[in-house]
Amino acid sequence: MATLSTARRVVIKIGSALLVDRDSGNLRRDWLTGLAQDVLWLKGLGCDVVLVSSGSIALGRGVLGLPPTVLALEQAQAAAAVGQIRLARAYEEVLAPHGITTAQVLVTLEDSANRRRYLNSRATLEQLLSLGVVPIVNENDTVATDEIRFGDNDRLAAQIAVTVGADQLILLSDVDGFYSANPSQDPTAQRYDVIDSITPEIEAMAGDAGSGLSKGGMKTKLMAARTATTAGCAMAITDGFVSRPLTALEGGANATWFSAQSDPQAARKRWIAAMKPRGAVTVDAGAVAALARGTSLLPAGVTAVEGRFERGDSIAMYDPAGHAVGHGLSRYSAEEIGQIKGHKSAEIEALLGYPGRAALIHRDDMAL
């Protein structure tokens, strides 16, 4: 069973009911201060931390005096616009005293469905994490419509975990795990400590949302678990209402762990390997040797390009003799590669007229 103290990169999902008092509509600052101490503990272990946080609509509705009922889309967007400022400020205020820098990242479903935007999101998050920043991710409720919504932050958190290659995803919830039935309705319901496989029987046990402030129920948590575990990320559901819930989880608090099906990097490589290439590049002998050592593919090592493809598409790589080397996700279009092939990365801006990324295919985005 996974433990937080061994995590290399963890995504933590925080629901509205944990952050915002149901009756007053105010932020639960004492609880958030405890969470900040947990984040400091994880950072001290050398773990990258991403927070996927609900709460903007719940905070904003209180400020605007909107009713605690289902809001019309325009009302929800207005509440999110007001609440998001307060939510970001709250995280900054509790984490800054610990020397932790925060960043606000707002996404929509299109950012993961569109490969170009997905790569942009991934690159941004990777850069923030490399600089020691804790990103605070939320769905961009101010512009998202029903057609382009994740719909709940359980699935958003799973997608973010896949995007950043996290090895653990923690859903802080109003229940302490996955039960065979709804424990508030069935006193005989049994909690699972570990679920190794999400079977049809497990799916049949899932219920619906129980909180008036949150949208996600156990069904969406199972969907999140399937997404995360398939990508090599273990996932836990645990009670988030306790003080310092992450150290409580590490200390043996009730939880259900969903086992990862592989490690994140291997799962990503398999995903990339299964894609059909849209084009190809030929690389020189020096690039072939560098790729074998685990480096990224730089424009200087490319001698030819063929096909019509855009940034984010999968392309094949061939050695000078025409033998397949592997393939990966291109950071440039075929036209752009035609302009920068054979040149050093420092020359990209002069050649294209705008700054580009140093690698043509990053090592994390290729399968050899």
Side-chain angles (χ1 to χ4, degrees):
M1 186 171 66
T3 59
L4 268 173
S5 59
T6 62
R8 176 188 61 85
R9 179 169 290 178
V10 61
V11 174
I12 303 158
K13 182 263 180 176
I14 302 152
S16 297
L18 302 178
L19 277 171
V20 183
D21 183 84
R22 184 187 182 95
D23 296 324
S24 67
N26 295 326
L27 187 76
R28 300 179 66 226
R29 188 166 291 274
D30 288 345
W31 181 88
L32 190 59
T33 299
L35 180 74
Q37 294 173 318
D38 277 350
V39 172
L40 177 65
W41 165 65
L42 285 172
K43 295 282 288 179
L45 296 175
C47 180
D48 294 333
V49 180
V50 179
L51 303 180
V52 176
S53 179
S54 304
S56 61
I57 293 177
L59 281 173
R61 80 160 76 215
V63 175
L64 297 176
L66 297 172
T69 57
V70 177
L71 300 176
L73 177 61
E74 295 82 0
Q75 291 177 312
Q77 290 173 327
V82 171
Q84 192 62 50
I85 295 175
R86 288 160 174 78
L87 186 65
R89 183 191 305 135
Y91 276 109
E92 183 177 35
E93 288 175 349
V94 297
L95 288 168
H98 298 299
I100 298 174
T101 302
T102 55
Q104 177 179 264
V105 180
L106 300 177
V107 298
T108 66
L109 184 61
E110 285 185 335
D111 294 321
S112 63
N114 180 286
R115 193 169 295 154
R116 177 187 290 266
R117 291 169 68 168
Y118 166 80
L119 288 175
N120 284 336
S121 298
R122 186 171 186 270
T124 299
L125 288 166
E126 284 288 350
Q127 183 64 52
L128 289 170
L129 292 170
S130 72
L131 294 171
V133 175
V134 174
I136 314 297
V137 183
N138 195 2
E139 183 157 19
N140 194 350
D141 291 305
T142 60
V143 299
T145 61
D146 288 340
E147 291 78 15
I148 59 169
R149 289 182 59 82
F150 280 94
D152 66 84
N153 274 359
D154 293 328
R155 284 182 288 180
L156 172 58
Q159 183 59 55
I160 294 298
V162 173
T163 299
V164 301
D167 48 346
Q168 292 186 24
L169 166 63
I170 312 299
L171 302 186
L172 298 181
S173 181
D174 53 2
V175 294
D176 61 356
F178 183 88
Y179 283 77
S180 58
N182 189 331
S184 64
Q185 299 174 358
D186 185 351
T188 66
Q190 299 293 312
R191 181 179 54 81
Y192 287 80
D193 289 329
V194 178
I195 294 177
D196 290 320
S197 178
I198 302 174
T199 63
E201 291 75 20
I202 292 293
E203 290 179 333
M205 297 175 188
D208 294 317
S211 168
L213 286 177
S214 62
K215 301 171 187 172
M218 201 54 69
K219 288 182 179 178
T220 66
K221 288 176 174 55
L222 279 187
M223 293 174 67
R226 187 181 298 280
T227 298
T229 57
T230 300
C233 177
M235 190 189 95
I237 301 172
T238 192
D239 181 11
F241 277 100
V242 300
S243 177
R244 300 196 61 177
L246 300 177
T247 49
L249 176 62
E250 182 68 12
N254 287 347
T256 298
W257 280 96
F258 293 81
S259 302
Q261 302 305 305
S262 64
D263 68 83
Q265 192 62 20
R268 180 171 176 79
K269 298 289 188 182
R270 286 198 303 272
W271 171 66
I272 293 172
M275 290 182 173
K276 181 179 179 180
R278 302 289 297 273
V281 292
T282 300
V283 302
D284 60 28
V288 172
L291 291 174
R293 295 193 300 269
T295 66
S296 300
L297 176 62
L298 302 179
V302 176
T303 59
V305 57
E306 59 183 89
R308 298 178 62 182
F309 55 88
E310 298 298 326
R311 180 171 185 264
D313 286 339
S314 174
I315 61 173
M317 296 177 288
Y318 293 98
D319 67 15
H323 300 128
V325 176
H327 58 276
L329 305 182
S330 177
R331 293 187 164 190
Y332 292 95
S333 68
E335 181 180 357
E336 290 169 326
I337 293 175
Q339 294 176 263
I340 64 176
K341 64 181 175 63
H343 291 274
K344 296 180 179 180
S345 298
E347 301 176 78
I348 291 175
E349 184 172 2
L351 292 166
L352 297 181
Y354 47 85
R357 302 189 188 280
L360 193 151
I361 302 177
H362 192 274
R363 62 184 180 183
D364 292 340
D365 294 331
M366 67 174 66
L368 302 179

